[in-house]
């Protein structure tokens, strides 16, 4: 995998990358995996801007969101349905029938997850899966211990994730749903390409795990290392705890190219 450390705005970087990847693919339908979270808000703002400027279109895009809380109605302002509408779909030209978000209110949650996997397969798989990273290294809502071949399913959230997400629920952990539907790590790894983003000190420990060699379900982020075409884009703070050779390579890259971006193969 590639770790890219940039001084540039992560959202802008990612949005131009996505627009370019979509153009280059020249497919009748480009299939995107989409995340939520604070880290990717800027990316969505930039994608909306590019779309309004005519440099990007969602008309021929098919999208699959990563996850959704169990029990929140779509109009709840912390549901991921609401997040996506507010941050992206209200501002771009996506066709509603091509937008997929897990239904956390489904009567039969397991059937909902199975149908989601089928829909991804029917769309021909995901071309580019975008994502963020949890403080504990989770991907989507795949908490530590999730198998690398896991598929879409119900997940019980860890205290660490509930604590981290409480800021969106009036700082009250008791208001955070305890379960979510999430694509599996296997679902993510099935995509042709991955672009994940992490920013700030809170993610530095998870990012540092990538420099420590071990690939383990205890740190879901390390699954990125098993994918043939994965990139993690981070800011300097998120890269501040790298160790060993990765850290040495970053120092060297900074010396030879002070303005960045700095690319490290892991
Ligand atoms: C949630 C989402 C993840 C996201 C994570 C980090 O737990 N399910 O997909 O990566 O939050 O969010 P933030 O970017 O706000 O730190």
């Amino acid at each position: 995998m590639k770790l890219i450390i940039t001084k540039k705005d992560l959202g802008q970087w990612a949005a131009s990358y996505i627009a370019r990847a979509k153009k280059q693919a020249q497919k009748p339908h480009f299939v995107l995996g989409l995340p939520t979270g604070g880290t990717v808000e800027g990316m969505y703002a930039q994608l909306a801007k590019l779309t309004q400027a005519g440099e990007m279109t969602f008309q021929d895009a098919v999208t699959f969101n990563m996850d959704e809380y169990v029990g929140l109605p779509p109009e709840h302002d912390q549901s991921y349905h609401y997040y996506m509408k507010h941050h992206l779909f209200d501002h771009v030209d996506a066709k509603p029938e091509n937008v997929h978000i897990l239904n956390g209110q489904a009567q039969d949650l397991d059937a909902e997850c199975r149908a989601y996997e089928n829909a991804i397969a029917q769309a021909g798989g995901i071309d580019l899966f975008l994502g963020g990273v949890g403080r504990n290294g989770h991907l989507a809502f795949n908490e530590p211990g999730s198998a690398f071949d896991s598929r879409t399913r119900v997940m019980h959230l860890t205290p660490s994730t509930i604590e981290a997400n409480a800021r969106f629920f009036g700082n009250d952990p008791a208001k955070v749903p305890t379960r979510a539907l999430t694509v599996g790590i296997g679902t993510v790894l099935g995509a042709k390409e991955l672009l994940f983003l992490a920013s700030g000190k809170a993610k530095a420990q998870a990012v540092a795990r990538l420099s420590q060699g071990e690939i383990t379900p205890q740190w879901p982020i390390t699954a990125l290392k098993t994918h043939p075409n994965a990139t993690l884009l981070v800011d300097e703070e998120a890269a501040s705890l790298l160790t060993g050779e990765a850290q040495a390579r970053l120092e060297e890259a900074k010396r030879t190219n002070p303005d960045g971006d700095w690319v490290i193969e892991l």
Side-chain angles (χ1 to χ4, degrees):
M1 69 169 288
K2 269 196 189 78
L3 175 66
I4 303 185
I5 301 105
T6 186
K7 286 182 171 179
K8 300 190 191 105
D9 179 74
L10 293 195
Q12 231 164 40
W13 197 110
S16 340
Y17 186 92
I18 297 159
R20 214 167 40 239
K22 181 170 171 293
K23 257 184 213 146
Q24 278 169 4
Q26 291 190 330
K27 291 183 70 192
H29 285 106
F30 191 70
V31 186
L32 280 165
L34 297 180
T36 56
T39 313
V40 290
E41 282 177 15
M43 175 184 89
Y44 286 132
Q46 291 299 326
L47 281 173
K49 239 186 182 170
L50 289 179
T51 306
Q52 280 150 21
E55 289 168 44
M56 167 79 182
T57 178
F58 282 81
Q59 259 169 30
D60 52 355
V62 176
T63 67
F64 288 91
N65 262 81
M66 295 182 132
D67 45 16
E68 176 59 291
Y69 289 112
V70 168
L72 294 190
E75 53 286 356
H76 188 290
D77 65 3
Q78 290 312 323
S79 76
Y80 290 166
H81 277 78
Y82 184 96
Y83 175 106
M84 290 310 296
K85 186 173 148 48
H86 180 71
H87 287 289
L88 186 69
F89 293 124
D90 274 353
H91 315 289
V92 298
D93 51 356
K95 294 189 179 145
E97 66 270 26
N98 288 338
V99 170
H100 303 86
I101 306 180
L102 283 154
N103 175 9
Q105 290 198 302
Q107 285 277 328
D108 183 339
L109 294 173
D110 293 332
E112 170 69 10
C113 294
R114 279 194 302 274
Y116 207 66
E117 285 284 338
N118 285 338
I120 294 174
Q122 250 170 30
I126 291 176
D127 291 303
L128 176 59
F129 217 133
L130 305 160
V133 177
R135 291 176 196 192
N136 60 4
H138 73 229
L139 302 182
F141 268 131
N142 291 283
E143 296 287 27
S146 298
F148 284 1
D149 62 357
S150 51
R151 312 303 303 194
T152 306
R153 68 204 185 291
V154 183
M155 194 85 224
H156 289 265
L157 305 184
T158 60
S160 147
T161 298
I162 290 176
E163 189 62 40
N165 290 1
R167 69 190 195 278
F168 298 117
F169 290 84
N171 283 321
D172 183 358
K175 292 210 174 100
V176 183
T178 55
R179 290 186 304 160
L181 301 186
T182 181
V183 296
I185 306 235
T187 320
V188 172
L189 294 178
K192 294 191 187 79
E193 183 175 5
L194 311 179
L195 175 63
F196 277 63
L197 275 62
S199 66
K201 272 243 147 56
K203 306 294 168 67
Q205 221 197 346
V207 173
R209 282 280 149 176
L210 295 172
S211 60
Q212 291 163 8
E214 200 193 1
I215 295 174
T216 164
Q218 285 318 313
W219 287 89
I221 188 173
T222 61
L224 298 180
K225 287 173 110 174
T226 69
H227 191 279
N229 191 8
T231 300
L232 179 66
L233 178 70
V234 303
D235 61 9
E236 287 187 86
E237 281 199 331
S240 60
L241 296 179
L242 291 179
T243 55
E245 209 178 309
Q247 202 241 349
R249 273 189 258 155
L250 175 59
E251 289 312 315
E252 175 60 19
K254 281 185 174 179
R255 249 194 315 278
T256 50
N257 177 19
D259 297 326
D261 305 336
W262 305 298
V263 183
I264 300 178
E265 290 287 345
L266 290 169

